[in-house]
Amino acid sequence: MSNASAGPSSKAKTGSSHPSETSLKRKRGLFQKDLQHMMYGFGDDSNPLPETVALMEDIVMEYVTDMAHKAQDIASKRGKLLTEDFLFLIRNDLPKVNRCKELLSMNEELKQARKAFDVDEEKLAQKD
Amino acid sequence: MQIGSIQFIENKPSFLSSPLKSLLFRHRNPSSPLILARYLRRRRSRCRPHSPRNSVNTMQQSKDPFEVVTEEQEESPPNSPTVHEETETQTPTAPLSVNSQGADVDNTKNPQKSAATSAATSATAKTVKNKEDDDEEEEENMDVELGKLPSSSDPSKMAKMQSILSQFTEDQMSRYESFRRSGFQKSVMKRLLGSITGSNKISMPMTIVVSGIAKIFVGELVETAKVVMKERKESGPIRPCHIREAYRRLKLEGKIPKRSVQRLFR
């Protein structure tokens, strides 16, 4: 069991009730660097306190875990876990909804650009 | 295209005083897939690290290969493949000039840009360069996200954004840069989601969506914590007690998903 084998330096994963998570022990600085920059960007001091960053990481991990569990509950009726399940969960939160729509459309555009680029490269290769 | 993240800024009290109407976009030929595609190819070949910054202190001094790519990219929007190849030769020179930070970069880059654009044959490149000389000082750090952006098809929004960004102080600019650039690592998030859901294949859009949601959540927490600090008339870095109070307030608002099963024995 992951909990039994967890060393003193690593924390057991939050979902310790799920036996499937044997491989992932929650290391301390999983999102530490990213979170520091993110918190500075959102208004914190340029050097956020380490305990604040640690607490943020715990909160974010718990948030993502809970969201994923809820999404799975929703998806279990249909079968597969889809992106739409996450979008359904945040439907009431307007900033998140808009941001996700924007991210997804940007992703699509990038995909198209990649495709177009490959086509152009082929054309170039043919010309040469 | 709706720009959701800027709406988010408008809705919340934040250090940015003026509403940012749209994301800044530098390319004048916005819909060309070649620009995006060329950028992507560069990105692939460079194997960009997520964030090369060594510490939060040196945040302002690092130059991301991303920036180099997109700065080079903007020099001449390719109208034909020949232009494309010419600007590629500028790539080795571009990284040399971008290693210094601050106003020096602008001075060294502008002559270089003029060299680049004189080599380019298209007339549009020159007009692009002229317009972007002004933008250079403010935007050199913004290139990461901007390169990813396709068009914001509203020129008035772009103009507004430029006028706002041009008035930023250096402190504001670095904070904005952190805001735009920071994000959760996709690989880590993918692994995390996979371990939570138990399924091995987490699609890329799902990772992107969850990372975006988590980032906005962090933003809500930090901004609420700042509000709490202001109420308590405290200053300095945010302390855990502020975060806890912010978390409690968000819970009252209903933005925290409630656990259907109570978590015992954490």
Side-chain angles (χ1 to χ4, degrees), chain B residues 24-71:
Chain B
L24 182 56
F25 178 66
R26 299 175 78 168
H27 296 284
R28 294 327 185 249
N29 186 9
S31 55
S32 163
L34 272 180
I35 300 178
L36 281 170
R38 191 158 56 100
Y39 154 79
L40 285 167
R41 190 183 65 175
R42 298 273 161 65
R43 176 185 178 181
R44 256 184 269 153
S45 63
R46 283 165 200 266
C47 303
R48 174 187 93 90
H50 167 71
S51 170
R53 291 178 274 247
N54 296 327
S55 75
V56 177
N57 278 332
T58 59
M59 240 190 308
Q60 297 181 349
Q61 297 166 6
S62 67
K63 206 70 175 170
D64 205 308
F66 245 53
E67 296 176 8
V68 171
V69 167
T70 50
E71 279 159 2

Side-chain angles (χ1 to χ4, degrees), chain A residues 42-85:
Chain A
F42 280 118
D44 196 2
D45 207 45
S46 59
N47 284 330
L49 297 174
E51 49 260 29
T52 314
V53 176
L55 178 62
M56 275 300 243
E57 179 178 346
D58 285 342
I59 293 179
V60 167
M61 291 287 249
E62 188 181 338
Y63 180 76
V64 167
T65 309
D66 289 345
M67 292 285 282
H69 283 154
K70 279 196 149 179
Q72 253 192 324
D73 290 340
I74 294 173
S76 63
K77 295 175 191 151
R78 197 189 321 117
K80 215 176 164 189
L81 182 64
L82 296 176
T83 314
E84 282 74 26
D85 300 318

Side-chain angles (χ1 to χ4, degrees), chain A residues 21 24 34 36-37 40 43-44 46-47 52 62 66 72 96 98-99 102 109 113-114 117 120-121, chain B residues 4-5 7 23 34 37 40-41 50 53 56-57 59 150 174-175 178 195 197 220 226 238 259 263:
Chain A
E21 301 153 16
L24 182 63
D34 305 326
Q36 279 181 342
H37 295 314
Y40 174 62
D44 196 2
S46 59
N47 284 330
T52 314
E62 188 181 338
D66 289 345
Q72 253 192 324
K96 296 200 176 89
N98 290 330
R99 176 64 178 165
E102 180 196 344
E109 289 214 35
R114 270 185 219 123
F117 177 74
D120 288 324
E121 262 199 343
Chain B
S5 67
Q7 278 196 353
L23 300 168
L34 272 180
L40 285 167
R41 190 183 65 175
H50 167 71
R53 291 178 274 247
V56 177
N57 278 332
M59 240 190 308
S174 86
R175 209 181 273 271
S178 279
S195 77
T197 62
E220 288 175 345
K226 270 301 205 187
I238 297 181
R259 304 185 71 96
R263 194 195 320 157

Side-chain angles (χ1 to χ4, degrees), chain B:
Chain B
M1 175 170 72
Q2 183 75 316
I3 310 296
S5 67
I6 300 301
Q7 278 196 353
F8 163 68
I9 296 177
E10 289 177 14
N11 292 339
K12 307 286 178 175
S14 79
F15 66 96
L16 298 169
S17 53
S18 47
L20 301 176
K21 287 293 180 186
S22 78
L23 300 168
L24 182 56
F25 178 66
R26 299 175 78 168
H27 296 284
R28 294 327 185 249
N29 186 9
S31 55
S32 163
L34 272 180
I35 300 178
L36 281 170
R38 191 158 56 100
Y39 154 79
L40 285 167
R41 190 183 65 175
R42 298 273 161 65
R43 176 185 178 181
R44 256 184 269 153
S45 63
R46 283 165 200 266
C47 303
R48 174 187 93 90
H50 167 71
S51 170
R53 291 178 274 247
N54 296 327
S55 75
V56 177
N57 278 332
T58 59
M59 240 190 308
Q60 297 181 349
Q61 297 166 6
S62 67
K63 206 70 175 170
D64 205 308
F66 245 53
E67 296 176 8
V68 171
V69 167
T70 50
E71 279 159 2
E72 177 273 341
Q73 181 188 356
E74 78 188 33
E75 282 163 11
S76 62
N79 291 332
S80 67
T82 55
V83 177
H84 173 96
E85 264 113 34
E86 276 177 47
T87 53
E88 280 204 59
T89 63
Q90 306 301 327
T91 331
T93 55
L96 299 175
S97 72
V98 300
N99 283 331
S100 60
Q101 189 69 10
D104 294 336
V105 184
D106 310 322
N107 298 331
T108 55
K109 276 183 67 107
N110 285 335
Q112 187 170 30
K113 279 182 72 116
S114 55
T117 50
S118 61
T121 51
S122 78
T124 55
K126 291 208 172 144
T127 56
V128 165
K129 173 207 172 254
N130 291 335
K131 282 182 198 170
E132 291 182 357
D133 273 345
D134 299 332
D135 307 337
E136 196 51 40
E137 297 170 14
E138 302 83 44
E139 298 177 59
E140 55 191 359
N141 296 328
M142 308 310 306
D143 296 341
V144 173
E145 295 289 330
L146 297 174
K148 270 193 203 166
L149 263 192
S151 67
S152 80
S153 47
D154 197 347
S156 71
K157 283 185 181 177
M158 275 161 51
K160 262 190 194 173
M161 190 68 189
Q162 282 183 25
S163 71
I164 291 170
L165 280 188
S166 62
Q167 295 169 19
F168 269 3
T169 64
E170 197 172 316
D171 182 45
Q172 285 177 325
M173 189 41 105
S174 86
R175 209 181 273 271
Y176 184 63
E177 175 198 1
S178 279
F179 161 70
R180 289 290 299 272
R181 273 211 204 169
S182 61
F184 294 109
Q185 273 198 329
K186 290 206 186 70
S187 55
V188 179
M189 187 59 78
K190 192 170 174 186
R191 186 162 35 110
L192 177 66
L193 281 176
S195 77
I196 296 173
T197 62
S199 74
N200 293 330
K201 293 177 204 161
I202 302 289
S203 65
M204 202 37 139
M206 195 180 299
T207 311
I208 293 175
V209 161
V210 173
S211 302
I213 293 174
K215 181 171 175 182
I216 296 191
F217 177 68
V218 169
E220 288 175 345
L221 263 180
V222 170
E223 292 193 352
T224 313
K226 270 301 205 187
V227 168
V228 167
M229 271 179 75
K230 201 171 177 188
E231 290 173 3
R232 297 185 189 176
K233 299 191 180 61
E234 292 169 353
S235 65
I238 297 181
R239 302 207 305 272
C241 58
H242 305 131
I243 302 276
R244 286 198 201 98
E245 172 64 18
Y247 182 79
R248 189 189 68 88
R249 291 189 189 185
L250 285 184
K251 208 164 190 178
L252 290 177
E253 282 183 35
K255 297 202 171 170
I256 314 279
K258 290 184 202 147
R259 304 185 71 96
S260 49
V261 182
Q262 266 193 4
R263 194 195 320 157
L264 310 166
F265 317 118
R266 192 194 291 213

